[in-house]
PDB file of all heavy atoms in Angstrom:
ATOM      1  N   GLY A 132     -27.650 159.714  38.364  1.00 98.00           N
ATOM      2  CA  GLY A 132     -28.860 159.019  38.810  1.00 98.00           C
ATOM      3  C   GLY A 132     -30.111 159.511  38.101  1.00 98.00           C
ATOM      4  O   GLY A 132     -31.228 159.231  38.516  1.00 98.00           O
ATOM      5  N   ALA A 133     -29.918 160.285  37.031  1.00 98.00           N
ATOM      6  CA  ALA A 133     -31.065 160.786  36.262  1.00 98.00           C
ATOM      7  C   ALA A 133     -31.469 159.733  35.222  1.00 98.00           C
ATOM      8  O   ALA A 133     -30.690 158.832  34.901  1.00 98.00           O
ATOM      9  CB  ALA A 133     -30.695 162.097  35.570  1.00 98.00           C
ATOM     10  N   ALA A 134     -32.680 159.859  34.688  1.00 98.00           N
ATOM     11  CA  ALA A 134     -33.153 158.920  33.668  1.00 98.00           C
ATOM     12  C   ALA A 134     -32.711 159.403  32.295  1.00 98.00           C
ATOM     13  O   ALA A 134     -32.831 160.588  31.980  1.00 98.00           O
ATOM     14  CB  ALA A 134     -34.674 158.825  33.722  1.00 98.00           C
ATOM     15  N   GLY A 135     -32.195 158.505  31.478  1.00 98.00           N
ATOM     16  CA  GLY A 135     -31.816 158.839  30.105  1.00 98.00           C
ATOM     17  C   GLY A 135     -32.940 158.462  29.155  1.00 98.00           C
ATOM     18  O   GLY A 135     -33.495 157.368  29.256  1.00 98.00           O
ATOM     19  N   ILE A 136     -33.292 159.364  28.278  1.00 98.00           N
ATOM     20  CA  ILE A 136     -34.325 159.080  27.277  1.00 98.00           C
ATOM     21  C   ILE A 136     -33.637 159.067  25.913  1.00 98.00           C
ATOM     22  O   ILE A 136     -33.215 160.112  25.410  1.00 98.00           O
ATOM     23  CB  ILE A 136     -35.438 160.158  27.305  1.00 98.00           C
ATOM     24  CG1 ILE A 136     -36.055 160.235  28.705  1.00 98.00           C
ATOM     25  CG2 ILE A 136     -36.493 159.865  26.239  1.00 98.00           C
ATOM     26  CD1 ILE A 136     -37.045 161.381  28.884  1.00 98.00           C
ATOM     27  N   LYS A 137     -33.490 157.865  25.363  1.00 98.00           N
ATOM     28  CA  LYS A 137     -32.796 157.720  24.069  1.00 98.00           C
ATOM     29  C   LYS A 137     -33.831 157.736  22.947  1.00 98.00           C
ATOM     30  O   LYS A 137     -34.725 156.900  22.908  1.00 98.00           O
ATOM     31  CB  LYS A 137     -32.008 156.413  24.055  1.00 98.00           C
ATOM     32  CG  LYS A 137     -31.226 156.210  22.761  1.00 98.00           C
ATOM     33  CD  LYS A 137     -30.303 155.015  22.841  1.00 98.00           C
ATOM     34  CE  LYS A 137     -31.094 153.720  22.916  1.00 98.00           C
ATOM     35  NZ  LYS A 137     -30.213 152.543  23.050  1.00 98.00           N
ATOM     36  N   VAL A 138     -33.674 158.678  22.026  1.00 98.00           N
ATOM     37  CA  VAL A 138     -34.641 158.862  20.939  1.00 98.00           C
ATOM     38  C   VAL A 138     -34.097 158.200  19.669  1.00 98.00           C
ATOM     39  O   VAL A 138     -32.950 158.463  19.284  1.00 98.00           O
ATOM     40  CB  VAL A 138     -34.870 160.371  20.695  1.00 98.00           C
ATOM     41  CG1 VAL A 138     -35.812 160.606  19.528  1.00 98.00           C
ATOM     42  CG2 VAL A 138     -35.399 161.029  21.964  1.00 98.00           C
ATOM     43  N   PRO A 139     -34.893 157.348  19.006  1.00 98.00           N
ATOM     44  CA  PRO A 139     -34.400 156.704  17.780  1.00 98.00           C
ATOM     45  C   PRO A 139     -33.900 157.733  16.759  1.00 98.00           C
ATOM     46  O   PRO A 139     -34.519 158.787  16.579  1.00 98.00           O
ATOM     47  CB  PRO A 139     -35.620 155.945  17.246  1.00 98.00           C
ATOM     48  CG  PRO A 139     -36.467 155.703  18.456  1.00 98.00           C
ATOM     49  CD  PRO A 139     -36.254 156.899  19.355  1.00 98.00           C
ATOM     50  N   ALA A 140     -32.782 157.420  16.110  1.00 98.00           N
ATOM     51  CA  ALA A 140     -32.202 158.327  15.120  1.00 98.00           C
ATOM     52  C   ALA A 140     -33.016 158.288  13.824  1.00 98.00           C
ATOM     53  O   ALA A 140     -33.776 157.343  13.576  1.00 98.00           O
ATOM     54  CB  ALA A 140     -30.761 157.928  14.843  1.00 98.00           C
ATOM     55  N   LYS A 141     -32.846 159.322  13.021  1.00 97.00           N
ATOM     56  CA  LYS A 141     -33.459 159.356  11.693  1.00 97.00           C
ATOM     57  C   LYS A 141     -32.311 159.449  10.694  1.00 97.00           C
ATOM     58  O   LYS A 141     -31.531 160.397  10.763  1.00 97.00           O
ATOM     59  CB  LYS A 141     -34.360 160.592  11.577  1.00 97.00           C
ATOM     60  CG  LYS A 141     -35.256 160.579  10.352  1.00 97.00           C
ATOM     61  CD  LYS A 141     -36.332 161.652  10.454  1.00 97.00           C
ATOM     62  CE  LYS A 141     -35.846 162.977   9.870  1.00 97.00           C
ATOM     63  NZ  LYS A 141     -36.846 164.052  10.005  1.00 97.00           N
ATOM     64  N   ALA A 142     -32.188 158.465   9.804  1.00 96.00           N
ATOM     65  CA  ALA A 142     -31.079 158.425   8.846  1.00 96.00           C
ATOM     66  C   ALA A 142     -29.747 158.648   9.569  1.00 96.00           C
ATOM     67  O   ALA A 142     -28.925 159.469   9.139  1.00 96.00           O
ATOM     68  CB  ALA A 142     -31.283 159.451   7.724  1.00 96.00           C
ATOM     69  N   TYR A 143     -29.565 157.953  10.683  1.00 97.00           N
ATOM     70  CA  TYR A 143     -28.350 157.985  11.507  1.00 97.00           C
ATOM     71  C   TYR A 143     -28.165 159.289  12.292  1.00 97.00           C
ATOM     72  O   TYR A 143     -27.223 159.410  13.068  1.00 97.00           O
ATOM     73  CB  TYR A 143     -27.083 157.727  10.688  1.00 97.00           C
ATOM     74  CG  TYR A 143     -27.010 156.366  10.052  1.00 97.00           C
ATOM     75  CD1 TYR A 143     -27.097 156.224   8.664  1.00 97.00           C
ATOM     76  CD2 TYR A 143     -26.844 155.228  10.830  1.00 97.00           C
ATOM     77  CE1 TYR A 143     -27.029 154.972   8.073  1.00 97.00           C
ATOM     78  CE2 TYR A 143     -26.782 153.973  10.249  1.00 97.00           C
ATOM     79  CZ  TYR A 143     -26.866 153.847   8.876  1.00 97.00           C
ATOM     80  OH  TYR A 143     -26.782 152.611   8.302  1.00 97.00           O
ATOM     81  N   GLY A 144     -29.021 160.283  12.073  1.00 96.00           N
ATOM     82  CA  GLY A 144     -28.803 161.585  12.709  1.00 96.00           C
ATOM     83  C   GLY A 144     -29.886 161.916  13.727  1.00 96.00           C
ATOM     84  O   GLY A 144     -30.758 161.102  14.047  1.00 96.00           O
ATOM     85  N   ASN A 145     -29.833 163.146  14.244  1.00 97.00           N
ATOM     86  CA  ASN A 145     -30.795 163.605  15.240  1.00 97.00           C
ATOM     87  C   ASN A 145     -32.181 163.767  14.607  1.00 97.00           C
ATOM     88  O   ASN A 145     -32.313 164.430  13.583  1.00 97.00           O
ATOM     89  CB  ASN A 145     -30.354 164.971  15.786  1.00 97.00           C
ATOM     90  CG  ASN A 145     -29.006 164.903  16.486  1.00 97.00           C
ATOM     91  OD1 ASN A 145     -28.795 164.096  17.371  1.00 97.00           O
ATOM     92  ND2 ASN A 145     -28.080 165.761  16.066  1.00 97.00           N
ATOM     93  N   ASP A 146     -33.200 163.176  15.224  1.00 98.00           N
ATOM     94  CA  ASP A 146     -34.587 163.376  14.786  1.00 98.00           C
ATOM     95  C   ASP A 146     -35.191 164.429  15.717  1.00 98.00           C
ATOM     96  O   ASP A 146     -35.691 164.113  16.803  1.00 98.00           O
ATOM     97  CB  ASP A 146     -35.344 162.046  14.875  1.00 98.00           C
ATOM     98  CG  ASP A 146     -36.777 162.159  14.371  1.00 98.00           C
ATOM     99  OD1 ASP A 146     -37.293 163.301  14.282  1.00 98.00           O
ATOM    100  OD2 ASP A 146     -37.380 161.113  14.078  1.00 98.00           O
ATOM    101  N   LEU A 147     -35.117 165.683  15.295  1.00 98.00           N
ATOM    102  CA  LEU A 147     -35.483 166.779  16.194  1.00 98.00           C
ATOM    103  C   LEU A 147     -36.951 166.722  16.624  1.00 98.00           C
ATOM    104  O   LEU A 147     -37.264 167.001  17.784  1.00 98.00           O
ATOM    105  CB  LEU A 147     -35.169 168.129  15.543  1.00 98.00           C
ATOM    106  CG  LEU A 147     -33.684 168.414  15.273  1.00 98.00           C
ATOM    107  CD1 LEU A 147     -33.517 169.825  14.725  1.00 98.00           C
ATOM    108  CD2 LEU A 147     -32.844 168.244  16.536  1.00 98.00           C
ATOM    109  N   ASP A 148     -37.848 166.353  15.720  1.00 98.00           N
ATOM    110  CA  ASP A 148     -39.273 166.283  16.099  1.00 98.00           C
ATOM    111  C   ASP A 148     -39.480 165.231  17.185  1.00 98.00           C
ATOM    112  O   ASP A 148     -40.205 165.460  18.158  1.00 98.00           O
ATOM    113  CB  ASP A 148     -40.148 165.944  14.877  1.00 98.00           C
ATOM    114  CG  ASP A 148     -40.196 167.101  13.880  1.00 98.00           C
ATOM    115  OD1 ASP A 148     -39.967 168.258  14.308  1.00 98.00           O
ATOM    116  OD2 ASP A 148     -40.447 166.842  12.690  1.00 98.00           O
ATOM    117  N   ALA A 149     -38.823 164.090  16.989  1.00 98.00           N
ATOM    118  CA  ALA A 149     -38.971 163.017  17.983  1.00 98.00           C
ATOM    119  C   ALA A 149     -38.306 163.412  19.306  1.00 98.00           C
ATOM    120  O   ALA A 149     -38.803 163.074  20.382  1.00 98.00           O
ATOM    121  CB  ALA A 149     -38.364 161.724  17.445  1.00 98.00           C
ATOM    122  N   MET A 150     -37.207 164.148  19.238  1.00 98.00           N
ATOM    123  CA  MET A 150     -36.541 164.583  20.472  1.00 98.00           C
ATOM    124  C   MET A 150     -37.425 165.568  21.236  1.00 98.00           C
ATOM    125  O   MET A 150     -37.540 165.512  22.461  1.00 98.00           O
ATOM    126  CB  MET A 150     -35.169 165.196  20.164  1.00 98.00           C
ATOM    127  CG  MET A 150     -34.174 164.145  19.656  1.00 98.00           C
ATOM    128  SD  MET A 150     -32.551 164.807  19.241  1.00 98.00           S
ATOM    129  CE  MET A 150     -31.716 164.653  20.838  1.00 98.00           C
ATOM    130  N   LEU A 151     -38.072 166.450  20.489  1.00 98.00           N
ATOM    131  CA  LEU A 151     -38.989 167.416  21.113  1.00 98.00           C
ATOM    132  C   LEU A 151     -40.143 166.677  21.784  1.00 98.00           C
ATOM    133  O   LEU A 151     -40.514 166.984  22.925  1.00 98.00           O
ATOM    134  CB  LEU A 151     -39.510 168.355  20.022  1.00 98.00           C
ATOM    135  CG  LEU A 151     -40.195 169.636  20.470  1.00 98.00           C
ATOM    136  CD1 LEU A 151     -39.231 170.538  21.231  1.00 98.00           C
ATOM    137  CD2 LEU A 151     -40.740 170.375  19.250  1.00 98.00           C
ATOM    138  N   ALA A 152     -40.676 165.684  21.075  1.00 98.00           N
ATOM    139  CA  ALA A 152     -41.815 164.925  21.610  1.00 98.00           C
ATOM    140  C   ALA A 152     -41.407 164.098  22.834  1.00 98.00           C
ATOM    141  O   ALA A 152     -42.250 163.759  23.662  1.00 98.00           O
ATOM    142  CB  ALA A 152     -42.384 164.011  20.519  1.00 98.00           C
ATOM    143  N   ALA A 153     -40.117 163.798  22.957  1.00 98.00           N
ATOM    144  CA  ALA A 153     -39.647 162.953  24.074  1.00 98.00           C
ATOM    145  C   ALA A 153     -39.461 163.747  25.367  1.00 98.00           C
ATOM    146  O   ALA A 153     -39.298 163.166  26.440  1.00 98.00           O
ATOM    147  CB  ALA A 153     -38.330 162.277  23.685  1.00 98.00           C
ATOM    148  N   ILE A 154     -39.467 165.066  25.279  1.00 98.00           N
ATOM    149  CA  ILE A 154     -39.264 165.909  26.471  1.00 98.00           C
ATOM    150  C   ILE A 154     -40.444 165.729  27.439  1.00 98.00           C
ATOM    151  O   ILE A 154     -41.590 165.766  27.021  1.00 98.00           O
ATOM    152  CB  ILE A 154     -39.109 167.396  26.055  1.00 98.00           C
ATOM    153  CG1 ILE A 154     -37.794 167.579  25.303  1.00 98.00           C
ATOM    154  CG2 ILE A 154     -39.184 168.314  27.271  1.00 98.00           C
ATOM    155  CD1 ILE A 154     -37.620 168.968  24.687  1.00 98.00           C
ATOM    156  N   ARG A 155     -40.121 165.510  28.719  1.00 98.00           N
ATOM    157  CA  ARG A 155     -41.156 165.317  29.739  1.00 98.00           C
ATOM    158  C   ARG A 155     -41.109 166.486  30.733  1.00 98.00           C
ATOM    159  O   ARG A 155     -40.147 167.263  30.727  1.00 98.00           O
ATOM    160  CB  ARG A 155     -40.876 164.020  30.517  1.00 98.00           C
ATOM    161  CG  ARG A 155     -40.613 162.810  29.640  1.00 98.00           C
ATOM    162  CD  ARG A 155     -40.628 161.502  30.426  1.00 98.00           C
ATOM    163  NE  ARG A 155     -39.639 161.404  31.495  1.00 98.00           N
ATOM    164  CZ  ARG A 155     -38.987 160.279  31.803  1.00 98.00           C
ATOM    165  NH1 ARG A 155     -39.196 159.159  31.102  1.00 98.00           N
ATOM    166  NH2 ARG A 155     -38.132 160.248  32.802  1.00 98.00           N
ATOM    167  N   PRO A 156     -42.099 166.599  31.583  1.00 98.00           N
ATOM    168  CA  PRO A 156     -42.035 167.674  32.597  1.00 98.00           C
ATOM    169  C   PRO A 156     -40.784 167.567  33.472  1.00 98.00           C
ATOM    170  O   PRO A 156     -40.268 168.585  33.923  1.00 98.00           O
ATOM    171  CB  PRO A 156     -43.309 167.448  33.423  1.00 98.00           C
ATOM    172  CG  PRO A 156     -44.248 166.741  32.503  1.00 98.00           C
ATOM    173  CD  PRO A 156     -43.400 165.880  31.605  1.00 98.00           C
ATOM    174  N   ASP A 157     -40.259 166.347  33.674  1.00 98.00           N
ATOM    175  CA  ASP A 157     -39.064 166.199  34.528  1.00 98.00           C
ATOM    176  C   ASP A 157     -37.753 166.331  33.740  1.00 98.00           C
ATOM    177  O   ASP A 157     -36.671 166.160  34.307  1.00 98.00           O
ATOM    178  CB  ASP A 157     -39.105 164.864  35.286  1.00 98.00           C
ATOM    179  CG  ASP A 157     -38.855 163.634  34.401  1.00 98.00           C
ATOM    180  OD1 ASP A 157     -38.609 163.790  33.183  1.00 98.00           O
ATOM    181  OD2 ASP A 157     -38.901 162.503  34.933  1.00 98.00           O
ATOM    182  N   THR A 158     -37.804 166.640  32.438  1.00 98.00           N
ATOM    183  CA  THR A 158     -36.576 166.743  31.635  1.00 98.00           C
ATOM    184  C   THR A 158     -35.856 168.056  31.954  1.00 98.00           C
ATOM    185  O   THR A 158     -36.473 169.122  31.965  1.00 98.00           O
ATOM    186  CB  THR A 158     -36.908 166.651  30.132  1.00 98.00           C
ATOM    187  OG1 THR A 158     -37.572 165.406  29.886  1.00 98.00           O
ATOM    188  CG2 THR A 158     -35.648 166.731  29.279  1.00 98.00           C
ATOM    189  N   ARG A 159     -34.566 167.947  32.217  1.00 98.00           N
ATOM    190  CA  ARG A 159     -33.766 169.143  32.524  1.00 98.00           C
ATOM    191  C   ARG A 159     -32.680 169.401  31.484  1.00 98.00           C
ATOM    192  O   ARG A 159     -32.157 170.507  31.397  1.00 98.00           O
ATOM    193  CB  ARG A 159     -33.119 169.006  33.906  1.00 98.00           C
ATOM    194  CG  ARG A 159     -34.088 169.045  35.052  1.00 98.00           C
ATOM    195  CD  ARG A 159     -34.756 170.412  35.200  1.00 98.00           C
ATOM    196  NE  ARG A 159     -35.831 170.353  36.185  1.00 98.00           N
ATOM    197  CZ  ARG A 159     -37.094 170.001  35.902  1.00 98.00           C
ATOM    198  NH1 ARG A 159     -37.449 169.729  34.656  1.00 98.00           N
ATOM    199  NH2 ARG A 159     -38.005 169.946  36.843  1.00 98.00           N
ATOM    200  N   MET A 160     -32.278 168.356  30.732  1.00 98.00           N
ATOM    201  CA  MET A 160     -31.219 168.544  29.745  1.00 98.00           C
ATOM    202  C   MET A 160     -31.540 167.791  28.470  1.00 98.00           C
ATOM    203  O   MET A 160     -32.198 166.754  28.498  1.00 98.00           O
ATOM    204  CB  MET A 160     -29.857 168.020  30.268  1.00 98.00           C
ATOM    205  CG  MET A 160     -29.199 168.921  31.277  1.00 98.00           C
ATOM    206  SD  MET A 160     -27.592 168.249  31.775  1.00 98.00           S
ATOM    207  CE  MET A 160     -26.588 168.640  30.339  1.00 98.00           C
ATOM    208  N   LEU A 161     -31.025 168.333  27.365  1.00 98.00           N
ATOM    209  CA  LEU A 161     -31.120 167.660  26.067  1.00 98.00           C
ATOM    210  C   LEU A 161     -29.772 167.840  25.385  1.00 98.00           C
ATOM    211  O   LEU A 161     -29.256 168.959  25.317  1.00 98.00           O
ATOM    212  CB  LEU A 161     -32.254 168.281  25.255  1.00 98.00           C
ATOM    213  CG  LEU A 161     -32.574 167.650  23.893  1.00 98.00           C
ATOM    214  CD1 LEU A 161     -34.065 167.764  23.589  1.00 98.00           C
ATOM    215  CD2 LEU A 161     -31.767 168.275  22.766  1.00 98.00           C
ATOM    216  N   PHE A 162     -29.192 166.735  24.966  1.00 98.00           N
ATOM    217  CA  PHE A 162     -27.872 166.773  24.322  1.00 98.00           C
ATOM    218  C   PHE A 162     -28.050 166.642  22.811  1.00 98.00           C
ATOM    219  O   PHE A 162     -28.763 165.750  22.340  1.00 98.00           O
ATOM    220  CB  PHE A 162     -27.005 165.603  24.795  1.00 98.00           C
ATOM    221  CG  PHE A 162     -26.612 165.650  26.248  1.00 98.00           C
ATOM    222  CD1 PHE A 162     -27.364 164.987  27.208  1.00 98.00           C
ATOM    223  CD2 PHE A 162     -25.483 166.339  26.653  1.00 98.00           C
ATOM    224  CE1 PHE A 162     -26.988 164.992  28.545  1.00 98.00           C
ATOM    225  CE2 PHE A 162     -25.094 166.355  27.987  1.00 98.00           C
ATOM    226  CZ  PHE A 162     -25.848 165.682  28.941  1.00 98.00           C
TER     227      PHE A 162
END
Side-chain angles (χ1 to χ4, degrees):
I136 303 173
K137 182 172 68 182
V138 177
K141 192 167 89 182
Y143 297 111
N145 298 307
D146 183 342
L147 295 184
D148 291 336
M150 292 179 89
L151 195 63
I154 292 172
R155 310 192 300 217
D157 72 2
T158 302
R159 292 293 171 273
M160 284 182 76
L161 184 147
F162 293 94

